[in-house]
Amino acid sequence: MIRVNGKQKQNGTRDKDNKGAALLCLGIESTAHTFGCSVVEMYQDSERKGKVLSDIRGIYKPPEGSGIHPREASRHHAEVCSSVLAQSLKEAGRRMDDIDIIGYSAGPGLGPCLRVGAVVARTVSGFYEKPLVPVNHALGHIELGTMLTGASDPLVLLVSGGHTMILAFAQHRWRVFGETLDITIGQLLDQFGRAMGFASPCGGRIENLAGQSDGRYTQLPYVVKGNDVSFSGLLTAAIRAASSGEKLVDVCYSLQETSFAMLAETVERALSFTSKKEMMIVGGVAANKRLASMLDIACTRQDAKLYVCPIGFAGDNGAQIAWTALLDYAATKKQIDVEKSSVHQSWRLDVVDVGWR
Ligand code: AMP
Ligand code: MG
């Protein structure tokens, strides 16, 4: 089990005697490799301000060279869930009785993994009689990103294991201005890395190797169709280049340059079209410095400010779920009956009505 973001706790811990001042949510994340629980508070004086009091994650690690196995990941989540939950409350200095609402990741994600989080959420919600709020995982990445960076109306690039999407908010929903036609950027990096024998997730190691290249670019397929991207041909070509004797550091460099340039082109076109003056990167791949620097150039050209989700919260975590559940509940008071709560493996963000923006 991993205890992360300890500094946040130091900043976020409130005086015990001030307990009634904020709405408190326990957020449960379990879409894929991470089982995370987090306690987040929202101040009552301003419904858009909050603090992360705890962020505990148990992360399933597949064997080197293998991808995530949904059944094995869900078994991992079932094993760690009670200790992650207990640790999260302890880190926040709270008991279940102090919690006002329970948020859980209801999709999109891997069915067996989602179901573990949903069962834990239903159990604590039912037993302690707390409102249960289902959260779209992608929305969680975006809302926590805006809370942490201070962006207010950004064009968003959501880049993770499960998503590659360019989004802007209009008329109560996040609208898609470009997305992948096949695999996501996270899958591109992880599948390439696994073919090289790396342990998943591989994005950090590829970034590190790319940084060791002296900039020798290997030609790889660059595929942008309309404002969508396609990475599957790039994956095949990169694996072939590495297997045919190209230096691994140069292939990693070329893989990043090609895929990130495709994203920078489509983001810049969307910025120009929407005239947004803010751009935000969220999702696990937001941790990549080269991606941020390429997008920064596009933003400067379009007179937009770039916001990058802090690295400690770029990947999957319970705080993104807790914060989004708080926003939803504070604005709409909507909750779901335990009997009717379910998970949706393919729950697209662009069908979710957002009642608080
Ligand atoms: P998420 O699904 O949001 O948890 O994000 C996980 C994805 O982020 C995986 O595909 C990782 O390989 C990727 N990732 C993590 N760190 C980096 C990095 N420094 N550069 C590129 N990708 C990364
Ligand atoms: Mg994610």
Side-chain angles (χ1 to χ4, degrees):
M1 185 193 311
I2 298 180
R3 167 193 285 237
V4 286
N5 300 314
K7 264 194 231 130
Q8 284 287 330
K9 186 217 163 198
Q10 221 174 4
N11 295 339
T13 305
R14 290 176 312 148
D15 294 337
K16 293 264 181 200
D17 55 8
N18 193 25
K19 250 181 210 173
L23 204 55
L24 278 177
C25 179
L26 170 70
I28 300 172
E29 157 59 29
S30 72
T31 51
H33 42 67
T34 300
F35 185 89
C37 287
S38 175
V39 179
V40 176
E41 69 180 349
M42 173 184 270
Y43 302 124
Q44 283 180 346
D45 47 356
S46 163
E47 291 194 345
R48 305 292 311 202
K49 292 223 173 98
K51 262 185 185 166
V52 179
L53 302 189
S54 67
D55 174 18
I56 304 294
R57 307 174 200 178
I59 300 176
Y60 164 73
K61 299 259 184 235
E64 289 208 357
S66 306
I68 181 167
H69 188 303
R71 194 192 58 221
E72 294 306 316
S74 70
R75 186 175 296 168
H76 162 272
H77 294 352
E79 276 165 15
V80 302
C81 62
S82 60
S83 56
V84 170
L85 174 56
Q87 273 280 97
S88 178
L89 290 167
K90 189 170 169 213
E91 177 104 350
R94 297 292 186 276
R95 295 176 304 126
M96 268 313 300
D97 287 338
D98 301 326
I99 301 293
D100 298 300
I101 64 171
I102 312 289
Y104 74 102
S105 247
L110 303 170
C113 298
L114 284 168
R115 281 190 281 278
V116 176
V119 165
V120 174
R122 283 179 204 129
T123 307
V124 285
S125 161
F127 188 81
Y128 291 96
E129 298 183 351
K130 310 282 181 189
L132 184 61
V133 181
V135 172
N136 179 286
H137 172 87
L139 191 51
H141 274 295
I142 296 175
E143 290 299 353
L144 187 68
T146 55
M147 189 261 253
L148 295 171
T149 62
S152 61
D153 181 26
L155 183 83
V156 172
L157 176 65
L158 171 57
V159 272
S160 66
H163 290 88
T164 300
M165 274 184 165
I166 300 167
L167 302 139
F169 193 77
Q171 297 183 340
H172 314 296
R173 285 189 184 181
W174 286 94
R175 313 283 169 173
V176 180
F177 283 82
E179 63 184 317
T180 180
L181 296 170
D182 41 51
I183 56 174
T184 67
I185 182 80
Q187 287 167 336
L188 168 71
L189 297 170
D190 293 344
Q191 288 184 28
F192 174 77
R194 287 205 298 274
M196 300 300 112
F198 304 166
S200 222
C202 313
R205 183 150 173 200
I206 291 169
E207 179 177 23
N208 190 276
L209 288 167
Q212 295 169 36
S213 164
D214 55 12
R216 218 174 69 85
Y217 181 75
T218 299
Q219 197 68 41
L220 294 172
Y222 179 104
V223 185
V224 173
K225 297 183 180 179
N227 211 42
D228 293 327
V229 293
S230 162
F231 292 128
S232 57
L234 173 54
L235 172 64
T236 309
I239 294 173
R240 195 175 295 144
S243 323
S244 66
E246 297 279 351
K247 274 170 69 182
L248 184 55
V249 291
D250 293 334
V251 181
C252 290
Y253 166 79
S254 308
L255 181 64
Q256 283 202 161
E257 293 302 300
T258 310
S259 57
F260 294 170
M262 287 159 62
L263 294 175
E265 179 194 325
T266 47
V267 162
E268 184 164 359
R269 193 175 296 113
L271 272 177
S272 166
F273 180 69
T274 59
S275 301
K276 295 282 180 198
K277 292 299 159 212
E278 298 179 328
M279 202 261 131
M280 180 174 74
I281 324 174
V282 292
V285 186
N288 191 290
K289 300 270 186 305
R290 179 60 183 149
L291 175 62
S293 80
M294 286 169 81
L295 289 171
D296 200 31
I297 296 167
C299 286
T300 305
R301 268 201 297 257
Q302 297 300 322
D303 198 20
K305 184 167 180 206
L306 177 67
Y307 295 89
V308 184
C309 185
I311 191 164
F313 287 101
D316 296 347
N317 61 80
Q320 67 192 60
I321 304 307
W323 179 240
T324 309
L326 282 167
L327 289 168
D328 194 354
Y329 188 75
T332 67
K333 291 287 174 290
K334 261 195 282 176
Q335 53 177 295
I336 193 163
D337 290 343
V338 167
E339 305 80 53
K340 290 189 188 143
S341 62
S342 53
V343 296
H344 314 279
Q345 292 186 72
S346 312
W347 189 16
R348 274 182 70 92
L349 173 57
D350 51 2
V351 303
V352 180
D353 282 319
V354 176
W356 57 89
R357 277 188 177 272

